[in-house]
Amino acid sequence: MPPPKVWRRLVYIRWKDSSSPGSVAMAFNIHKSFPRLIPCVLSVAEGMTFTSLVDGGGAYPGVAAEEQNKGFHSAIELILSCSTTEEMKANYFDHPAHVAAAKVIDPLIEDAWAMDWLEDRDTLVVPSATMSVMKHLVFFQFEEGTTKAQCNKLFDAWRGLPTQLPHVLAVSCDEPIRWERGENRGFHAGLIVDLALSSSDGVQEIVDYATSEAYQTINKELLAPIRKSYVVMDIAEHRLGMGSGATSKL
């Protein structure tokens, strides 16, 4: 019997100029209520990116404003107990709480870009609720002619980062599921890197990750030869809670 799956959904959002900070904060609060209101939603993480700034707020020296995030303002990551598009439609999108939320939030959004992939629930590891986290999120487009073997080798290398870098709590990556509510812009992979957050803004954590020997080796040998384009979002989650441990199971 195959292991149970979970559905990872990552969405980049560009808010309308007319959407006030208060209305965006309200949208965030509604999203955070999903695990309580929608049974299939296991977790939600959301935040505004600092990669829109010149030099990526200090994390990416030399980049222009909006170069990393391509105009998107925030990102939301959901993990759901679904394994098919049919389950996603019935249990998530058509759930009354989601339908009601969409009526409030959708008019605030200028553009949204989603990517979805599946993971084995038995091996899924996520940051503990007690850990503050810097989420490094990337959508990648690969060069024409990139092979499945090249992608798999890259994914395996990314997934091995937590064993090499102590501040990398968890990594999730894969090719996107192609469906009407998913990736439709010609991109080929999504990456989520959860970094232990100890600073106020997460810039140093991104710098430490990007300059590490493990990252540089993957970038040089596996990613750079096939990478055509990418869009980066970095969001900091400052969490307070009780308990211990850096990671947990859902």
Side-chain angles (χ1 to χ4, degrees):
M1 185 175 180
K5 300 287 187 179
V6 294
W7 188 289
R8 179 93 62 159
R9 182 169 176 83
L10 180 58
V11 186
Y12 290 176
I13 297 173
R14 179 184 294 117
W15 301 95
K16 291 179 179 178
D17 291 342
S18 58
S19 297
S20 68
S23 63
V24 173
M26 175 195 65
F28 281 20
N29 287 336
I30 292 173
H31 286 150
K32 290 294 180 70
S33 73
F34 282 179
R36 176 173 55 86
L37 300 175
I38 305 176
C40 71
V41 178
L42 302 175
S43 72
V44 172
E46 188 171 22
M48 304 294 287
T49 185
F50 59 67
T51 52
S52 60
L53 304 174
V54 173
D55 293 330
Y60 304 100
V63 304
E66 306 288 352
E67 182 179 342
Q68 295 289 86
N69 64 307
K70 301 297 189 289
F72 289 92
H73 303 124
S74 68
I76 178 171
E77 174 207 30
L78 302 101
I79 302 177
L80 308 101
S81 58
C82 298
S83 59
T84 66
T85 57
E86 291 77 16
E87 288 181 354
M88 280 292 291
K89 292 175 184 176
N91 300 336
Y92 177 61
F93 286 106
D94 291 343
H95 189 281
H98 185 275
V99 173
K103 291 179 180 179
V104 175
I105 298 173
D106 286 0
L108 306 173
I109 295 174
E110 179 71 28
D111 190 16
W113 181 7
M115 197 174 285
D116 310 88
W117 59 92
L118 291 173
E119 297 178 74
D120 290 340
R121 184 160 185 171
D122 290 346
T123 57
L124 177 70
V125 174
V126 297
S128 167
T130 64
M131 287 291 297
S132 292
V133 179
M134 182 73 240
K135 285 188 170 289
H136 177 63
L137 316 170
V138 194
F139 288 169
F140 287 100
Q141 185 180 47
F142 296 147
E143 293 285 357
E144 186 177 352
T146 297
T147 66
K148 181 75 170 179
Q150 287 176 298
C151 292
N152 287 341
K153 192 171 183 179
L154 174 62
F155 296 157
D156 287 343
W158 277 336
R159 293 177 183 128
L161 283 172
T163 64
Q164 302 177 64
L165 300 174
H167 63 294
V168 177
L169 302 175
V171 173
S172 178
C173 57
D174 215 328
E175 297 176 276
I177 296 168
R178 303 292 180 182
W179 68 307
E180 65 266 27
R181 290 185 177 268
E183 208 293 312
N184 58 8
R185 306 188 189 205
F187 275 57
H188 303 105
L191 171 68
I192 299 171
V193 181
D194 291 315
L195 303 170
L197 177 64
S198 57
S199 68
S200 60
D201 58 9
V203 169
Q204 189 60 50
E205 285 79 357
I206 294 294
V207 171
D208 291 344
Y209 166 73
T211 58
S212 68
E213 183 179 353
Y215 170 85
Q216 290 292 332
T217 298
I218 293 173
N219 184 63
K220 180 180 179 180
E221 297 180 1
L222 301 176
L223 178 58
I226 65 173
R227 181 182 59 208
K228 181 178 182 180
S229 184
Y230 62 93
V231 182
V232 178
M233 304 283 278
D234 292 306
I235 62 175
E237 279 218 317
H238 296 272
R239 299 172 174 175
L240 296 174
M242 299 179 65
S244 62
T247 59
S248 64
K249 301 287 287 182
L250 283 177

